[in-house]
Amino acid sequence: MKKFGVTILLSTLSIIYSDAQTINYDGKEFELSNVIASTTFLNGEKVLKIERDLTKVPFDINHLEKTVDEPTFLKLKNVEFENGIIEIKVLSQLQDPLPFKFSKGFIGLAFRVNKDNSAYQSIYLRPKAGRSENQLERNHTVQYYAYPNYKFAKLRKEEYKGQYETYANIDLNEWITIKIEVKDKKAILYLNGQKHPSFIVNEMLGDFNGSGIGLWVDVGTIGYFKELKIIKTK
């Protein structure tokens, strides 16, 4: 009986630890939210590697809208960000085998994340779409969404006039510099050091009163991140 009791206790402790799991990288501490994450070396550089945890957030192709654009990110701890600039380099690869054959290497940032991850803003990339031979697919390379009520499928409806997606000349297996400038209800995306914006969200939707930042990926993606920089403005 004693042996059985110890087994149960250790199992419980393991569950508690996994729910509050953190990872340290480049002097920063991150908390896992529905992802599998580690530090690794890519081409001799130490980077963060992040994949969506399908055991915590199952994917269902028959209920696509309900099971994508979810809080699947590595959340930066002890940082409050409202307005300013977030910059990071990302590289996206596809998992093999692919759990979703239409995966485009979904990778990006979540910001204004609230404390329990139940609301946030996000801009992410579909790098595989950037070099597609299909122009309609290319037009979906960059995506904005607001969790939980304004996911990509809703924002792709005619009433939103395509203003929350756009094209960008990017691809898988290459480092892409993402810089997002956030000011009140507006978010501006710059890619790869370009002088002019690649994408502008003139008015963010939903609840944008949080202050967290997350390194975001979605189904079928192996995401690599490095060189996170944050500049706050009042």
mmCIF file of all heavy atoms in Angstrom, residues 148-183:
data_model
loop_
_atom_site.group_PDB
_atom_site.id
_atom_site.type_symbol
_atom_site.label_atom_id
_atom_site.label_comp_id
_atom_site.label_asym_id
_atom_site.label_seq_id
_atom_site.Cartn_x
_atom_site.Cartn_y
_atom_site.Cartn_z
ATOM 1 N N PRO A 148 -10.052 35.012 -29.189
ATOM 2 C CA PRO A 148 -10.549 33.777 -29.797
ATOM 3 C C PRO A 148 -11.591 33.961 -30.905
ATOM 4 O O PRO A 148 -11.958 32.988 -31.554
ATOM 5 C CB PRO A 148 -11.209 33.087 -28.604
ATOM 6 C CG PRO A 148 -11.793 34.224 -27.806
ATOM 7 C CD PRO A 148 -10.813 35.367 -27.952
ATOM 8 N N ASN A 149 -12.043 35.179 -31.132
ATOM 9 C CA ASN A 149 -13.246 35.354 -31.962
ATOM 10 C C ASN A 149 -12.982 35.718 -33.413
ATOM 11 O O ASN A 149 -13.917 35.722 -34.230
ATOM 12 C CB ASN A 149 -14.147 36.426 -31.339
ATOM 13 C CG ASN A 149 -14.685 36.012 -29.988
ATOM 14 O OD1 ASN A 149 -15.053 34.854 -29.792
ATOM 15 N ND2 ASN A 149 -14.720 36.936 -29.044
ATOM 16 N N TYR A 150 -11.738 36.027 -33.762
ATOM 17 C CA TYR A 150 -11.449 36.455 -35.131
ATOM 18 C C TYR A 150 -10.290 35.646 -35.700
ATOM 19 O O TYR A 150 -9.192 36.148 -35.885
ATOM 20 C CB TYR A 150 -11.138 37.954 -35.165
ATOM 21 C CG TYR A 150 -12.289 38.820 -34.734
ATOM 22 C CD1 TYR A 150 -12.429 39.198 -33.401
ATOM 23 C CD2 TYR A 150 -13.252 39.247 -35.650
ATOM 24 C CE1 TYR A 150 -13.496 39.994 -32.995
ATOM 25 C CE2 TYR A 150 -14.315 40.038 -35.250
ATOM 26 C CZ TYR A 150 -14.424 40.408 -33.916
ATOM 27 O OH TYR A 150 -15.484 41.191 -33.524
ATOM 28 N N LYS A 151 -10.567 34.373 -35.999
ATOM 29 C CA LYS A 151 -9.563 33.519 -36.604
ATOM 30 C C LYS A 151 -9.544 33.708 -38.124
ATOM 31 O O LYS A 151 -10.395 34.398 -38.694
ATOM 32 C CB LYS A 151 -9.839 32.060 -36.250
ATOM 33 C CG LYS A 151 -9.708 31.746 -34.763
ATOM 34 C CD LYS A 151 -9.876 30.256 -34.529
ATOM 35 C CE LYS A 151 -9.660 29.882 -33.080
ATOM 36 N NZ LYS A 151 -9.721 28.411 -32.879
ATOM 37 N N PHE A 152 -8.562 33.055 -38.775
ATOM 38 C CA PHE A 152 -8.353 33.302 -40.205
ATOM 39 C C PHE A 152 -9.600 33.043 -41.041
ATOM 40 O O PHE A 152 -9.907 33.796 -41.977
ATOM 41 C CB PHE A 152 -7.180 32.459 -40.719
ATOM 42 C CG PHE A 152 -7.568 31.102 -41.244
ATOM 43 C CD1 PHE A 152 -7.867 30.910 -42.586
ATOM 44 C CD2 PHE A 152 -7.663 30.007 -40.380
ATOM 45 C CE1 PHE A 152 -8.236 29.662 -43.068
ATOM 46 C CE2 PHE A 152 -8.032 28.765 -40.865
ATOM 47 C CZ PHE A 152 -8.322 28.584 -42.209
ATOM 48 N N ALA A 153 -10.341 31.974 -40.736
ATOM 49 C CA ALA A 153 -11.498 31.615 -41.555
ATOM 50 C C ALA A 153 -12.567 32.707 -41.518
ATOM 51 O O ALA A 153 -13.181 33.031 -42.537
ATOM 52 C CB ALA A 153 -12.074 30.287 -41.101
ATOM 53 N N LYS A 154 -12.776 33.273 -40.356
ATOM 54 C CA LYS A 154 -13.764 34.355 -40.232
ATOM 55 C C LYS A 154 -13.285 35.597 -40.966
ATOM 56 O O LYS A 154 -14.057 36.269 -41.661
ATOM 57 C CB LYS A 154 -14.008 34.664 -38.754
ATOM 58 C CG LYS A 154 -15.078 35.733 -38.532
ATOM 59 C CD LYS A 154 -15.413 35.879 -37.058
ATOM 60 C CE LYS A 154 -16.532 36.882 -36.834
ATOM 61 N NZ LYS A 154 -16.937 36.966 -35.416
ATOM 62 N N LEU A 155 -11.992 35.908 -40.838
ATOM 63 C CA LEU A 155 -11.456 37.123 -41.456
ATOM 64 C C LEU A 155 -11.309 36.998 -42.965
ATOM 65 O O LEU A 155 -11.076 37.995 -43.650
ATOM 66 C CB LEU A 155 -10.109 37.476 -40.825
ATOM 67 C CG LEU A 155 -10.161 37.816 -39.336
ATOM 68 C CD1 LEU A 155 -8.775 38.103 -38.806
ATOM 69 C CD2 LEU A 155 -11.083 38.999 -39.074
ATOM 70 N N ARG A 156 -11.441 35.782 -43.491
ATOM 71 C CA ARG A 156 -11.347 35.565 -44.937
ATOM 72 C C ARG A 156 -12.699 35.758 -45.620
ATOM 73 O O ARG A 156 -12.798 35.712 -46.849
ATOM 74 C CB ARG A 156 -10.798 34.167 -45.202
ATOM 75 C CG ARG A 156 -10.211 33.985 -46.590
ATOM 76 C CD ARG A 156 -9.442 32.680 -46.707
ATOM 77 N NE ARG A 156 -8.114 32.799 -46.149
ATOM 78 C CZ ARG A 156 -7.219 31.813 -46.127
ATOM 79 N NH1 ARG A 156 -7.526 30.632 -46.627
ATOM 80 N NH2 ARG A 156 -6.028 32.006 -45.600
ATOM 81 N N LYS A 157 -13.718 36.003 -44.819
ATOM 82 C CA LYS A 157 -15.040 36.215 -45.409
ATOM 83 C C LYS A 157 -15.094 37.562 -46.123
ATOM 84 O O LYS A 157 -14.349 38.490 -45.823
ATOM 85 C CB LYS A 157 -16.111 36.135 -44.322
ATOM 86 C CG LYS A 157 -16.259 34.733 -43.741
ATOM 87 C CD LYS A 157 -17.301 34.671 -42.640
ATOM 88 C CE LYS A 157 -17.425 33.258 -42.085
ATOM 89 N NZ LYS A 157 -18.400 33.166 -40.980
ATOM 90 N N GLU A 158 -16.004 37.656 -47.054
ATOM 91 C CA GLU A 158 -16.097 38.813 -47.947
ATOM 92 C C GLU A 158 -16.236 40.139 -47.197
ATOM 93 O O GLU A 158 -15.719 41.164 -47.633
ATOM 94 C CB GLU A 158 -17.282 38.621 -48.902
ATOM 95 C CG GLU A 158 -17.370 39.670 -49.985
ATOM 96 C CD GLU A 158 -18.494 39.387 -50.967
ATOM 97 O OE1 GLU A 158 -18.958 38.230 -51.007
ATOM 98 O OE2 GLU A 158 -18.906 40.315 -51.675
ATOM 99 N N GLU A 159 -16.905 40.114 -46.064
ATOM 100 C CA GLU A 159 -17.154 41.370 -45.344
ATOM 101 C C GLU A 159 -15.877 42.062 -44.866
ATOM 102 O O GLU A 159 -15.848 43.262 -44.636
ATOM 103 C CB GLU A 159 -18.072 41.106 -44.148
ATOM 104 C CG GLU A 159 -17.477 40.170 -43.103
ATOM 105 C CD GLU A 159 -18.482 39.738 -42.061
ATOM 106 O OE1 GLU A 159 -18.757 40.528 -41.152
ATOM 107 O OE2 GLU A 159 -18.994 38.600 -42.178
ATOM 108 N N TYR A 160 -14.775 41.278 -44.739
ATOM 109 C CA TYR A 160 -13.511 41.867 -44.276
ATOM 110 C C TYR A 160 -12.603 42.297 -45.421
ATOM 111 O O TYR A 160 -11.523 42.841 -45.196
ATOM 112 C CB TYR A 160 -12.795 40.890 -43.349
ATOM 113 C CG TYR A 160 -13.549 40.675 -42.058
ATOM 114 C CD1 TYR A 160 -14.315 39.530 -41.860
ATOM 115 C CD2 TYR A 160 -13.524 41.635 -41.051
ATOM 116 C CE1 TYR A 160 -15.033 39.339 -40.687
ATOM 117 C CE2 TYR A 160 -14.240 41.452 -39.873
ATOM 118 C CZ TYR A 160 -14.989 40.307 -39.696
ATOM 119 O OH TYR A 160 -15.700 40.124 -38.529
ATOM 120 N N LYS A 161 -13.019 42.035 -46.664
ATOM 121 C CA LYS A 161 -12.403 42.593 -47.879
ATOM 122 C C LYS A 161 -10.908 42.268 -48.012
ATOM 123 O O LYS A 161 -10.144 43.045 -48.578
ATOM 124 C CB LYS A 161 -12.610 44.107 -47.917
ATOM 125 C CG LYS A 161 -14.084 44.513 -47.874
ATOM 126 C CD LYS A 161 -14.261 46.009 -47.831
ATOM 127 C CE LYS A 161 -15.741 46.369 -47.747
ATOM 128 N NZ LYS A 161 -15.952 47.843 -47.659
ATOM 129 N N GLY A 162 -10.484 41.150 -47.454
ATOM 130 C CA GLY A 162 -9.099 40.732 -47.627
ATOM 131 C C GLY A 162 -8.061 41.570 -46.919
ATOM 132 O O GLY A 162 -6.855 41.422 -47.163
ATOM 133 N N GLN A 163 -8.486 42.427 -46.006
ATOM 134 C CA GLN A 163 -7.547 43.367 -45.405
ATOM 135 C C GLN A 163 -6.652 42.749 -44.321
ATOM 136 O O GLN A 163 -5.708 43.391 -43.849
ATOM 137 C CB GLN A 163 -8.309 44.547 -44.803
ATOM 138 C CG GLN A 163 -9.259 44.173 -43.672
ATOM 139 C CD GLN A 163 -10.034 45.367 -43.163
ATOM 140 O OE1 GLN A 163 -9.458 46.389 -42.799
ATOM 141 N NE2 GLN A 163 -11.366 45.260 -43.148
ATOM 142 N N TYR A 164 -6.915 41.502 -43.940
ATOM 143 C CA TYR A 164 -6.127 40.889 -42.872
ATOM 144 C C TYR A 164 -5.152 39.822 -43.375
ATOM 145 O O TYR A 164 -4.622 39.042 -42.609
ATOM 146 C CB TYR A 164 -7.058 40.317 -41.807
ATOM 147 C CG TYR A 164 -7.828 41.414 -41.090
ATOM 148 C CD1 TYR A 164 -9.193 41.562 -41.269
ATOM 149 C CD2 TYR A 164 -7.165 42.321 -40.267
ATOM 150 C CE1 TYR A 164 -9.895 42.587 -40.629
ATOM 151 C CE2 TYR A 164 -7.852 43.337 -39.630
ATOM 152 C CZ TYR A 164 -9.217 43.471 -39.813
ATOM 153 O OH TYR A 164 -9.901 44.488 -39.184
ATOM 154 N N GLU A 165 -4.910 39.797 -44.685
ATOM 155 C CA GLU A 165 -3.919 38.903 -45.286
ATOM 156 C C GLU A 165 -3.216 39.627 -46.418
ATOM 157 O O GLU A 165 -3.759 40.568 -47.004
ATOM 158 C CB GLU A 165 -4.584 37.646 -45.840
ATOM 159 C CG GLU A 165 -5.190 36.722 -44.804
ATOM 160 C CD GLU A 165 -5.840 35.509 -45.443
ATOM 161 O OE1 GLU A 165 -5.134 34.496 -45.631
ATOM 162 O OE2 GLU A 165 -7.039 35.585 -45.757
ATOM 163 N N THR A 166 -2.017 39.143 -46.762
ATOM 164 C CA THR A 166 -1.318 39.720 -47.904
ATOM 165 C C THR A 166 -0.197 38.788 -48.363
ATOM 166 O O THR A 166 0.078 37.760 -47.747
ATOM 167 C CB THR A 166 -0.745 41.109 -47.552
ATOM 168 O OG1 THR A 166 -0.371 41.782 -48.761
ATOM 169 C CG2 THR A 166 0.481 41.004 -46.657
ATOM 170 N N TYR A 167 0.454 39.177 -49.436
ATOM 171 C CA TYR A 167 1.570 38.415 -50.014
ATOM 172 C C TYR A 167 2.900 38.909 -49.453
ATOM 173 O O TYR A 167 3.058 40.077 -49.114
ATOM 174 C CB TYR A 167 1.579 38.572 -51.541
ATOM 175 C CG TYR A 167 2.881 38.138 -52.170
ATOM 176 C CD1 TYR A 167 3.208 36.786 -52.248
ATOM 177 C CD2 TYR A 167 3.796 39.079 -52.630
ATOM 178 C CE1 TYR A 167 4.410 36.371 -52.796
ATOM 179 C CE2 TYR A 167 4.998 38.680 -53.183
ATOM 180 C CZ TYR A 167 5.307 37.326 -53.263
ATOM 181 O OH TYR A 167 6.498 36.930 -53.790
ATOM 182 N N ALA A 168 3.865 38.001 -49.380
ATOM 183 C CA ALA A 168 5.249 38.378 -49.045
ATOM 184 C C ALA A 168 6.188 37.389 -49.729
ATOM 185 O O ALA A 168 5.873 36.200 -49.863
ATOM 186 C CB ALA A 168 5.474 38.359 -47.536
ATOM 187 N N ASN A 169 7.319 37.873 -50.169
ATOM 188 C CA ASN A 169 8.305 37.046 -50.864
ATOM 189 C C ASN A 169 9.190 36.332 -49.845
ATOM 190 O O ASN A 169 10.306 36.760 -49.545
ATOM 191 C CB ASN A 169 9.142 37.911 -51.801
ATOM 192 C CG ASN A 169 10.146 37.090 -52.593
ATOM 193 O OD1 ASN A 169 9.985 35.874 -52.751
ATOM 194 N ND2 ASN A 169 11.187 37.736 -53.080
ATOM 195 N N ILE A 170 8.694 35.223 -49.303
ATOM 196 C CA ILE A 170 9.416 34.442 -48.302
ATOM 197 C C ILE A 170 9.269 32.968 -48.634
ATOM 198 O O ILE A 170 8.479 32.595 -49.506
ATOM 199 C CB ILE A 170 8.898 34.717 -46.875
ATOM 200 C CG1 ILE A 170 7.388 34.431 -46.787
ATOM 201 C CG2 ILE A 170 9.216 36.150 -46.449
ATOM 202 C CD1 ILE A 170 6.819 34.564 -45.392
ATOM 203 N N ASP A 171 10.015 32.113 -47.934
ATOM 204 C CA ASP A 171 9.951 30.685 -48.205
ATOM 205 C C ASP A 171 10.323 29.897 -46.963
ATOM 206 O O ASP A 171 10.828 30.459 -45.968
ATOM 207 C CB ASP A 171 10.904 30.328 -49.351
ATOM 208 C CG ASP A 171 10.513 29.035 -50.064
ATOM 209 O OD1 ASP A 171 9.559 28.360 -49.611
ATOM 210 O OD2 ASP A 171 11.155 28.697 -51.075
ATOM 211 N N LEU A 172 10.105 28.593 -47.030
ATOM 212 C CA LEU A 172 10.551 27.680 -45.982
ATOM 213 C C LEU A 172 12.076 27.617 -45.951
ATOM 214 O O LEU A 172 12.754 27.974 -46.923
ATOM 215 C CB LEU A 172 9.992 26.272 -46.250
ATOM 216 C CG LEU A 172 8.475 26.096 -46.224
ATOM 217 C CD1 LEU A 172 8.111 24.740 -46.817
ATOM 218 C CD2 LEU A 172 7.938 26.216 -44.807
ATOM 219 N N ASN A 173 12.609 27.151 -44.815
ATOM 220 C CA ASN A 173 14.037 26.865 -44.670
ATOM 221 C C ASN A 173 14.935 28.070 -44.915
ATOM 222 O O ASN A 173 16.073 27.929 -45.372
ATOM 223 C CB ASN A 173 14.450 25.716 -45.612
ATOM 224 C CG ASN A 173 13.745 24.431 -45.270
ATOM 225 O OD1 ASN A 173 13.879 23.898 -44.173
ATOM 226 N ND2 ASN A 173 12.943 23.937 -46.212
ATOM 227 N N GLU A 174 14.418 29.255 -44.619
ATOM 228 C CA GLU A 174 15.255 30.450 -44.682
ATOM 229 C C GLU A 174 14.903 31.362 -43.512
ATOM 230 O O GLU A 174 13.756 31.423 -43.086
ATOM 231 C CB GLU A 174 15.083 31.194 -46.013
ATOM 232 C CG GLU A 174 13.694 31.767 -46.266
ATOM 233 C CD GLU A 174 13.554 32.455 -47.609
ATOM 234 O OE1 GLU A 174 14.256 32.036 -48.570
ATOM 235 O OE2 GLU A 174 12.769 33.416 -47.715
ATOM 236 N N TRP A 175 15.927 32.043 -42.986
ATOM 237 C CA TRP A 175 15.687 32.956 -41.879
ATOM 238 C C TRP A 175 14.924 34.178 -42.379
ATOM 239 O O TRP A 175 15.290 34.784 -43.386
ATOM 240 C CB TRP A 175 16.992 33.385 -41.224
ATOM 241 C CG TRP A 175 17.587 32.323 -40.352
ATOM 242 C CD1 TRP A 175 18.705 31.579 -40.592
ATOM 243 C CD2 TRP A 175 17.078 31.875 -39.077
ATOM 244 N NE1 TRP A 175 18.928 30.690 -39.563
ATOM 245 C CE2 TRP A 175 17.955 30.851 -38.623
ATOM 246 C CE3 TRP A 175 15.988 32.230 -38.292
ATOM 247 C CZ2 TRP A 175 17.757 30.194 -37.407
ATOM 248 C CZ3 TRP A 175 15.789 31.565 -37.091
ATOM 249 C CH2 TRP A 175 16.662 30.566 -36.659
ATOM 250 N N ILE A 176 13.886 34.527 -41.658
ATOM 251 C CA ILE A 176 13.038 35.673 -41.981
ATOM 252 C C ILE A 176 13.009 36.585 -40.761
ATOM 253 O O ILE A 176 12.714 36.138 -39.651
ATOM 254 C CB ILE A 176 11.604 35.225 -42.316
ATOM 255 C CG1 ILE A 176 11.600 34.214 -43.470
ATOM 256 C CG2 ILE A 176 10.716 36.435 -42.637
ATOM 257 C CD1 ILE A 176 10.302 33.437 -43.583
ATOM 258 N N THR A 177 13.320 37.835 -40.957
ATOM 259 C CA THR A 177 13.249 38.804 -39.854
ATOM 260 C C THR A 177 11.852 39.410 -39.800
ATOM 261 O O THR A 177 11.388 40.021 -40.764
ATOM 262 C CB THR A 177 14.286 39.925 -40.027
ATOM 263 O OG1 THR A 177 15.587 39.353 -40.093
ATOM 264 C CG2 THR A 177 14.228 40.893 -38.845
ATOM 265 N N ILE A 178 11.198 39.179 -38.672
ATOM 266 C CA ILE A 178 9.879 39.760 -38.420
ATOM 267 C C ILE A 178 10.036 40.944 -37.469
ATOM 268 O O ILE A 178 10.630 40.813 -36.403
ATOM 269 C CB ILE A 178 8.937 38.731 -37.764
ATOM 270 C CG1 ILE A 178 8.629 37.573 -38.720
ATOM 271 C CG2 ILE A 178 7.637 39.383 -37.298
ATOM 272 C CD1 ILE A 178 7.808 36.463 -38.077
ATOM 273 N N LYS A 179 9.511 42.080 -37.855
ATOM 274 C CA LYS A 179 9.459 43.238 -36.948
ATOM 275 C C LYS A 179 8.032 43.764 -36.936
ATOM 276 O O LYS A 179 7.492 44.112 -37.989
ATOM 277 C CB LYS A 179 10.427 44.347 -37.386
ATOM 278 C CG LYS A 179 10.440 45.516 -36.399
ATOM 279 C CD LYS A 179 11.531 46.534 -36.736
ATOM 280 C CE LYS A 179 11.108 47.474 -37.824
ATOM 281 N NZ LYS A 179 12.044 48.620 -37.998
ATOM 282 N N ILE A 180 7.425 43.770 -35.763
ATOM 283 C CA ILE A 180 6.059 44.267 -35.626
ATOM 284 C C ILE A 180 6.070 45.515 -34.739
ATOM 285 O O ILE A 180 6.545 45.481 -33.610
ATOM 286 C CB ILE A 180 5.129 43.207 -35.013
ATOM 287 C CG1 ILE A 180 5.085 41.949 -35.900
ATOM 288 C CG2 ILE A 180 3.714 43.770 -34.831
ATOM 289 C CD1 ILE A 180 4.267 40.815 -35.313
ATOM 290 N N GLU A 181 5.563 46.580 -35.272
ATOM 291 C CA GLU A 181 5.430 47.833 -34.522
ATOM 292 C C GLU A 181 3.979 47.962 -34.063
ATOM 293 O O GLU A 181 3.058 47.958 -34.889
ATOM 294 C CB GLU A 181 5.818 49.024 -35.398
ATOM 295 C CG GLU A 181 5.756 50.360 -34.681
ATOM 296 C CD GLU A 181 6.192 51.512 -35.565
ATOM 297 O OE1 GLU A 181 6.862 51.267 -36.586
ATOM 298 O OE2 GLU A 181 5.850 52.668 -35.235
ATOM 299 N N VAL A 182 3.784 48.046 -32.759
ATOM 300 C CA VAL A 182 2.443 48.093 -32.186
ATOM 301 C C VAL A 182 2.214 49.470 -31.555
ATOM 302 O O VAL A 182 3.023 49.931 -30.741
ATOM 303 C CB VAL A 182 2.257 46.996 -31.109
ATOM 304 C CG1 VAL A 182 0.834 47.025 -30.565
ATOM 305 C CG2 VAL A 182 2.590 45.615 -31.681
ATOM 306 N N LYS A 183 1.135 50.089 -31.949
ATOM 307 C CA LYS A 183 0.779 51.391 -31.370
ATOM 308 C C LYS A 183 -0.729 51.456 -31.207
ATOM 309 O O LYS A 183 -1.476 51.538 -32.187
ATOM 310 C CB LYS A 183 1.268 52.542 -32.259
ATOM 311 C CG LYS A 183 1.007 53.914 -31.641
ATOM 312 C CD LYS A 183 1.561 55.034 -32.501
ATOM 313 C CE LYS A 183 1.295 56.398 -31.851
ATOM 314 N NZ LYS A 183 1.811 57.513 -32.676
#
